[in-house]
mmCIF file of all heavy atoms in Angstrom:
data_model
loop_
_atom_site.group_PDB
_atom_site.id
_atom_site.type_symbol
_atom_site.label_atom_id
_atom_site.label_comp_id
_atom_site.label_asym_id
_atom_site.label_seq_id
_atom_site.Cartn_x
_atom_site.Cartn_y
_atom_site.Cartn_z
ATOM 1 N N SER R 6 0.897 -1.178 0.011
ATOM 2 C CA SER R 6 0.081 -0.037 -0.086
ATOM 3 C C SER R 6 0.897 1.172 0.031
ATOM 4 O O SER R 6 1.606 1.525 1.018
ATOM 5 C CB SER R 6 -0.877 -0.059 1.317
ATOM 6 O OG SER R 6 -1.600 1.105 1.315
ATOM 7 N N GLY R 7 0.790 2.067 -1.073
ATOM 8 C CA GLY R 7 1.712 3.194 -1.214
ATOM 9 C C GLY R 7 3.109 2.939 -1.589
ATOM 10 O O GLY R 7 3.900 3.849 -1.624
ATOM 11 N N ALA R 8 3.449 1.611 -1.685
ATOM 12 C CA ALA R 8 4.798 1.302 -2.221
ATOM 13 C C ALA R 8 5.883 1.930 -1.187
ATOM 14 O O ALA R 8 6.897 2.356 -1.696
ATOM 15 C CB ALA R 8 5.144 1.740 -3.518
ATOM 16 N N ASN R 9 5.526 1.935 0.111
ATOM 17 C CA ASN R 9 6.377 2.498 0.977
ATOM 18 C C ASN R 9 7.497 1.520 1.404
ATOM 19 O O ASN R 9 7.289 0.233 1.313
ATOM 20 C CB ASN R 9 5.687 2.764 2.401
ATOM 21 C CG ASN R 9 4.665 3.795 2.274
ATOM 22 O OD1 ASN R 9 4.974 4.810 1.489
ATOM 23 N ND2 ASN R 9 3.735 3.976 3.142
ATOM 24 N N THR R 10 8.723 2.014 1.696
ATOM 25 C CA THR R 10 9.846 1.266 2.215
ATOM 26 C C THR R 10 10.321 1.931 3.502
ATOM 27 O O THR R 10 10.274 3.044 3.638
ATOM 28 C CB THR R 10 11.056 1.333 1.162
ATOM 29 O OG1 THR R 10 11.387 2.594 0.907
ATOM 30 C CG2 THR R 10 10.789 0.532 -0.055
ATOM 31 N N ILE R 11 10.540 1.064 4.424
ATOM 32 C CA ILE R 11 11.164 1.445 5.700
ATOM 33 C C ILE R 11 12.310 0.691 6.097
ATOM 34 O O ILE R 11 12.407 -0.474 5.667
ATOM 35 C CB ILE R 11 10.135 1.256 6.922
ATOM 36 C CG1 ILE R 11 9.478 -0.083 6.977
ATOM 37 C CG2 ILE R 11 8.994 2.295 6.725
ATOM 38 C CD1 ILE R 11 8.591 -0.393 7.983
ATOM 39 N N TYR R 12 13.219 1.236 6.905
ATOM 40 C CA TYR R 12 14.529 0.613 7.106
ATOM 41 C C TYR R 12 14.904 0.748 8.610
ATOM 42 O O TYR R 12 14.481 1.853 9.201
ATOM 43 C CB TYR R 12 15.628 1.292 6.302
ATOM 44 C CG TYR R 12 15.548 1.160 4.803
ATOM 45 C CD1 TYR R 12 14.864 2.076 4.107
ATOM 46 C CD2 TYR R 12 16.162 0.112 4.240
ATOM 47 C CE1 TYR R 12 14.622 1.977 2.756
ATOM 48 C CE2 TYR R 12 16.031 -0.111 2.931
ATOM 49 C CZ TYR R 12 15.153 0.842 2.185
ATOM 50 O OH TYR R 12 15.178 0.697 0.757
ATOM 51 N N ALA R 13 15.744 -0.063 9.147
ATOM 52 C CA ALA R 13 16.188 0.099 10.380
ATOM 53 C C ALA R 13 17.201 1.209 10.317
ATOM 54 O O ALA R 13 17.890 1.444 9.292
ATOM 55 C CB ALA R 13 16.990 -1.204 10.908
ATOM 56 N N SER R 14 17.359 2.002 11.288
ATOM 57 C CA SER R 14 18.211 3.285 11.254
ATOM 58 C C SER R 14 19.598 2.906 10.874
ATOM 59 O O SER R 14 20.358 3.651 10.186
ATOM 60 C CB SER R 14 18.211 4.045 12.530
ATOM 61 O OG SER R 14 18.524 3.225 13.623
ATOM 62 N N SER R 15 20.147 1.849 11.328
ATOM 63 C CA SER R 15 21.579 1.478 11.090
ATOM 64 C C SER R 15 21.776 0.947 9.723
ATOM 65 O O SER R 15 22.932 0.975 9.274
ATOM 66 C CB SER R 15 22.010 0.413 12.113
ATOM 67 O OG SER R 15 21.318 -0.811 11.934
ATOM 68 N N MET R 16 20.781 0.658 9.004
ATOM 69 C CA MET R 16 20.947 0.102 7.609
ATOM 70 C C MET R 16 20.508 1.183 6.572
ATOM 71 O O MET R 16 20.991 1.029 5.388
ATOM 72 C CB MET R 16 20.057 -1.125 7.455
ATOM 73 C CG MET R 16 20.410 -2.384 8.100
ATOM 74 S SD MET R 16 19.956 -2.362 9.863
ATOM 75 C CE MET R 16 20.126 -3.992 10.258
ATOM 76 N N LYS R 17 19.812 2.161 7.038
ATOM 77 C CA LYS R 17 19.427 3.218 6.089
ATOM 78 C C LYS R 17 20.583 3.818 5.478
ATOM 79 O O LYS R 17 21.514 4.247 6.063
ATOM 80 C CB LYS R 17 18.466 4.226 6.737
ATOM 81 C CG LYS R 17 17.772 5.065 5.787
ATOM 82 C CD LYS R 17 16.579 5.913 6.632
ATOM 83 C CE LYS R 17 15.714 6.710 5.501
ATOM 84 N NZ LYS R 17 14.692 7.431 6.206
ATOM 85 N N GLY R 18 20.506 4.001 4.076
ATOM 86 C CA GLY R 18 21.605 4.529 3.332
ATOM 87 C C GLY R 18 22.455 3.496 2.881
ATOM 88 O O GLY R 18 23.298 3.786 1.922
ATOM 89 N N ARG R 19 22.574 2.468 3.505
ATOM 90 C CA ARG R 19 23.463 1.299 3.121
ATOM 91 C C ARG R 19 22.722 0.171 2.302
ATOM 92 O O ARG R 19 23.249 -0.488 1.351
ATOM 93 C CB ARG R 19 24.327 0.621 4.254
ATOM 94 C CG ARG R 19 25.218 1.670 4.864
ATOM 95 C CD ARG R 19 26.100 0.815 5.825
ATOM 96 N NE ARG R 19 25.454 0.137 6.791
ATOM 97 C CZ ARG R 19 25.619 -1.152 7.051
ATOM 98 N NH1 ARG R 19 26.520 -1.896 6.361
ATOM 99 N NH2 ARG R 19 24.923 -1.625 8.025
ATOM 100 N N PHE R 20 21.496 -0.118 2.741
ATOM 101 C CA PHE R 20 20.684 -1.272 2.266
ATOM 102 C C PHE R 20 19.570 -0.603 1.501
ATOM 103 O O PHE R 20 19.011 0.462 1.894
ATOM 104 C CB PHE R 20 20.151 -2.035 3.362
ATOM 105 C CG PHE R 20 21.299 -2.926 4.155
ATOM 106 C CD1 PHE R 20 22.584 -2.719 3.877
ATOM 107 C CD2 PHE R 20 20.828 -3.905 5.083
ATOM 108 C CE1 PHE R 20 23.566 -3.515 4.567
ATOM 109 C CE2 PHE R 20 21.698 -4.570 5.781
ATOM 110 C CZ PHE R 20 23.135 -4.348 5.578
ATOM 111 N N THR R 21 19.179 -1.361 0.494
ATOM 112 C CA THR R 21 18.015 -0.969 -0.352
ATOM 113 C C THR R 21 17.063 -2.105 -0.505
ATOM 114 O O THR R 21 17.606 -3.212 -1.035
ATOM 115 C CB THR R 21 18.419 -0.288 -1.619
ATOM 116 O OG1 THR R 21 19.186 0.780 -1.385
ATOM 117 C CG2 THR R 21 17.095 0.103 -2.407
ATOM 118 N N ILE R 22 15.888 -2.032 -0.215
ATOM 119 C CA ILE R 22 14.797 -3.105 -0.456
ATOM 120 C C ILE R 22 14.075 -2.774 -1.733
ATOM 121 O O ILE R 22 13.796 -1.617 -1.894
ATOM 122 C CB ILE R 22 13.968 -3.355 0.715
ATOM 123 C CG1 ILE R 22 13.087 -4.641 0.596
ATOM 124 C CG2 ILE R 22 13.113 -2.198 1.062
ATOM 125 C CD1 ILE R 22 12.252 -5.092 1.766
ATOM 126 N N SER R 23 13.853 -3.699 -2.747
ATOM 127 C CA SER R 23 13.011 -3.507 -3.862
ATOM 128 C C SER R 23 12.249 -4.820 -4.169
ATOM 129 O O SER R 23 12.481 -5.811 -3.712
ATOM 130 C CB SER R 23 13.993 -3.017 -4.919
ATOM 131 O OG SER R 23 14.884 -4.029 -5.296
ATOM 132 N N ARG R 24 11.497 -4.673 -5.171
ATOM 133 C CA ARG R 24 10.618 -5.800 -5.539
ATOM 134 C C ARG R 24 10.443 -5.717 -7.078
ATOM 135 O O ARG R 24 10.432 -4.706 -7.774
ATOM 136 C CB ARG R 24 9.373 -5.785 -4.890
ATOM 137 C CG ARG R 24 8.339 -4.696 -5.307
ATOM 138 C CD ARG R 24 7.084 -4.689 -4.719
ATOM 139 N NE ARG R 24 6.177 -3.627 -5.080
ATOM 140 C CZ ARG R 24 4.910 -3.554 -4.698
ATOM 141 N NH1 ARG R 24 4.260 -4.580 -4.210
ATOM 142 N NH2 ARG R 24 4.246 -2.503 -5.022
ATOM 143 N N ASP R 25 10.382 -7.034 -7.540
ATOM 144 C CA ASP R 25 10.018 -7.173 -8.960
ATOM 145 C C ASP R 25 8.762 -7.955 -8.966
ATOM 146 O O ASP R 25 8.690 -9.183 -8.761
ATOM 147 C CB ASP R 25 11.194 -8.080 -9.719
ATOM 148 C CG ASP R 25 10.931 -8.262 -11.169
ATOM 149 O OD1 ASP R 25 9.732 -8.281 -11.555
ATOM 150 O OD2 ASP R 25 11.870 -8.390 -11.904
ATOM 151 N N ASN R 26 7.574 -7.277 -9.353
ATOM 152 C CA ASN R 26 6.301 -7.902 -9.209
ATOM 153 C C ASN R 26 6.177 -9.022 -10.173
ATOM 154 O O ASN R 26 5.558 -10.048 -9.956
ATOM 155 C CB ASN R 26 5.214 -6.924 -9.450
ATOM 156 C CG ASN R 26 5.125 -5.776 -8.424
ATOM 157 O OD1 ASN R 26 5.485 -6.196 -7.291
ATOM 158 N ND2 ASN R 26 4.609 -4.710 -8.687
ATOM 159 N N ALA R 27 6.809 -8.959 -11.358
ATOM 160 C CA ALA R 27 6.651 -9.800 -12.308
ATOM 161 C C ALA R 27 7.241 -11.206 -11.934
ATOM 162 O O ALA R 27 6.843 -12.298 -12.276
ATOM 163 C CB ALA R 27 7.171 -9.475 -13.735
ATOM 164 N N LYS R 28 8.269 -11.120 -11.118
ATOM 165 C CA LYS R 28 8.940 -12.300 -10.643
ATOM 166 C C LYS R 28 8.503 -12.683 -9.214
ATOM 167 O O LYS R 28 9.116 -13.651 -8.708
ATOM 168 C CB LYS R 28 10.522 -12.175 -10.603
ATOM 169 C CG LYS R 28 10.998 -11.834 -12.093
ATOM 170 C CD LYS R 28 12.498 -11.788 -12.137
ATOM 171 C CE LYS R 28 12.987 -11.544 -13.482
ATOM 172 N NZ LYS R 28 14.541 -11.382 -13.522
ATOM 173 N N ASN R 29 7.711 -11.951 -8.616
ATOM 174 C CA ASN R 29 7.231 -12.282 -7.267
ATOM 175 C C ASN R 29 8.502 -12.307 -6.210
ATOM 176 O O ASN R 29 8.658 -13.183 -5.544
ATOM 177 C CB ASN R 29 6.419 -13.534 -6.987
ATOM 178 C CG ASN R 29 5.018 -13.375 -7.491
ATOM 179 O OD1 ASN R 29 4.528 -12.145 -7.466
ATOM 180 N ND2 ASN R 29 4.440 -14.244 -8.115
ATOM 181 N N THR R 30 9.485 -11.420 -6.540
ATOM 182 C CA THR R 30 10.669 -11.446 -5.808
ATOM 183 C C THR R 30 11.069 -10.094 -5.174
ATOM 184 O O THR R 30 10.792 -9.082 -5.776
ATOM 185 C CB THR R 30 11.805 -11.889 -6.772
ATOM 186 O OG1 THR R 30 11.564 -13.195 -7.426
ATOM 187 C CG2 THR R 30 13.065 -11.843 -6.078
#
């Protein structure tokens, strides 16, 4: 909903979460 992403503070800026809907990944 809203395509929001959230991060733990220690990972923000170093880690990126993303998705590929076509691959369900």
Side-chain angles (χ1 to χ4, degrees):
S6 176
N9 290 333
T10 56
I11 55 174
Y12 297 89
S14 56
S15 61
M16 291 81 164
K17 195 170 185 179
R19 297 191 302 128
F20 292 8
T21 302
I22 189 170
S23 62
R24 63 176 175 168
D25 184 331
N26 290 335
K28 296 181 178 180
N29 284 327
T30 299

